[in-house]
Amino acid sequence: MTGRLKGKKALITGAGGALGSSIARTFADEGVECLALVDIAEDSLASVAQELDNRGAELIAARLDITDGDAFDSLVTDVVERFSGVDIMVNNAGGISPNARIHNLSTQDWVDCLSVNLTGTFHGIRAGVRAMRGRGGGSIINTASVAGLTAWPYCAPYSAAKAGIVHLTRVAALEYVKDGVRVNCVCPGAFPSTLTRNLVDGALNVIEARHPGGLGTAADLVGAFTYLASDESRWTTGHALVVDGGYSLP
Ligand SMILES: NC(=O)c1ccc[n+]([C@@H]2O[C@H](COP(=O)([O-])OP(=O)(O)OC[C@H]3O[C@@H](n4cnc5c(N)ncnc54)[C@H](O)[C@@H]3O)[C@@H](O)[C@H]2O)c1
């Protein structure tokens, strides 16, 4: 432990998943004082909470569907009350389905994917800003994707939602810079998780071949989140930090 997040209070969505749980472990190791773990999947959430129990941080584990804006606000209000504030909000929950070309997508497919990835992130930014403004500010970190910077066939709604997150991050950063609220995003390349297991057969091999440095792991990404969460990045806002083993270079 190096204490880069000593004394800070953080909330992470998608904390039961591959990347979210790695971020949670690292934040705990970096000395975060309070940690709210949030996910729609109660089983994986409970197992991450159990693992992090007695690691020094005060913990909350809460089920939340990030597509429900009122529930998101209410949860963040409870967390702020319990922890006496929140300094770091990681809007990381997301999902890639459906995998199909545009002519095979229903309107509902489109709405559902945008709802989780883009609207869910909007809800998180809004709740985070409401909690941090007038309380000394904080750092909001959104999980976008290289799919939001380059075109991903068979993933139009996901790709569009992640591009939306990159731009939403920039707008939010400008709107709240004077309030001391920094808003950045991380654009990961591909790494194995439940999300990649849900890709159509063979798709991950094609994606892997496009990564000059090979596929990553969740552990390869956590440094970017720690940097953006810590005071080391205090003059960085509106940034899309690409961590992709060279995927987006050619
Ligand atoms: N795995 C990759 O290759 C990759 C690449 C780029 C970006 N990402 C992004 O990384 C983030 C984490 O994904 P991961 O790869 O760890 O996948 P994951 O499936 O392991 O984790 C995603 C988590 O989000 C939760 N979630 C989904 N919908 C939710 C909802 N409506 N409300 C609350 N929680 C919800 C899931 O239960 C799950 O625990 C996502 O935003 C994803 O789009 C992943």
Side-chain angles (χ1 to χ4, degrees), residues 13-20 38-41 44 64-67 91-96 116-117 143-147 152 158 162 187-196 204:
T13 70
L19 181 53
V38 174
D39 205 296
I40 198 169
S44 47
L64 172 75
D65 180 348
I66 59 165
T67 66
N91 293 309
N92 166 72
I96 206 167
V116 173
N117 291 292
T143 304
S145 170
V146 290
W152 274 38
Y158 180 78
K162 292 297 189 180
C187 296
F191 58 93
S193 71
T194 308
L195 183 147
T196 49
L204 192 57

Side-chain angles (χ1 to χ4, degrees), residues 36-245:
L37 307 169
V38 174
D39 205 296
I40 198 169
E42 287 177 285
D43 287 357
S44 47
L45 185 62
S47 100
V48 177
Q50 190 179 24
E51 180 194 334
L52 294 185
D53 202 20
N54 298 321
R55 292 269 288 267
E58 183 181 346
L59 283 188
I60 293 177
R63 185 193 178 275
L64 172 75
D65 180 348
I66 59 165
T67 66
D68 182 340
D70 289 341
F72 210 140
D73 278 341
S74 154
L75 174 71
V76 172
T77 301
D78 289 349
V79 168
V80 166
E81 204 170 309
R82 265 268 308 270
F83 291 169
S84 303
V86 62
D87 308 300
I88 303 162
M89 165 89 87
V90 183
N91 293 309
N92 166 72
I96 206 167
S97 64
N99 303 136
R101 289 166 70 198
I102 291 167
H103 69 279
N104 287 324
L105 294 176
S106 68
T107 304
Q108 199 58 49
D109 288 334
W110 172 266
V111 169
D112 289 347
C113 188
L114 270 283
S115 181
V116 173
N117 291 292
L118 186 54
T119 309
T121 301
F122 160 72
H123 289 153
I125 293 171
R126 186 178 64 182
V129 164
R130 286 174 176 167
M132 292 170 183
R133 275 181 89 208
R135 288 172 173 263
S139 172
I140 298 175
I141 309 161
N142 305 314
T143 304
S145 170
V146 290
L149 303 173
T150 62
W152 274 38
Y154 295 86
C155 292
Y158 180 78
S159 207
K162 292 297 189 180
I165 291 174
V166 173
H167 207 64
L168 178 61
T169 296
R170 292 163 57 85
V171 174
L174 204 49
E175 286 193 5
Y176 299 106
V177 65
K178 292 259 193 290
D179 295 304
V181 180
R182 299 186 295 110
V183 189
N184 293 286
C185 65
V186 176
C187 296
F191 58 93
S193 71
T194 308
L195 183 147
T196 49
R197 280 196 291 281
N198 288 338
L199 288 166
V200 286
D201 281 352
L204 192 57
N205 294 337
V206 175
I207 292 169
E208 181 172 7
R210 288 177 61 183
H211 283 72
L215 289 183
T217 65
D220 292 326
L221 289 151
V222 292
F225 287 85
T226 307
Y227 167 68
L228 292 172
S230 77
D231 294 338
E232 294 159 30
S233 61
R234 62 187 170 273
W235 209 44
T236 301
T237 196
H239 187 60
L241 182 47
V242 178
V243 186
D244 68 352

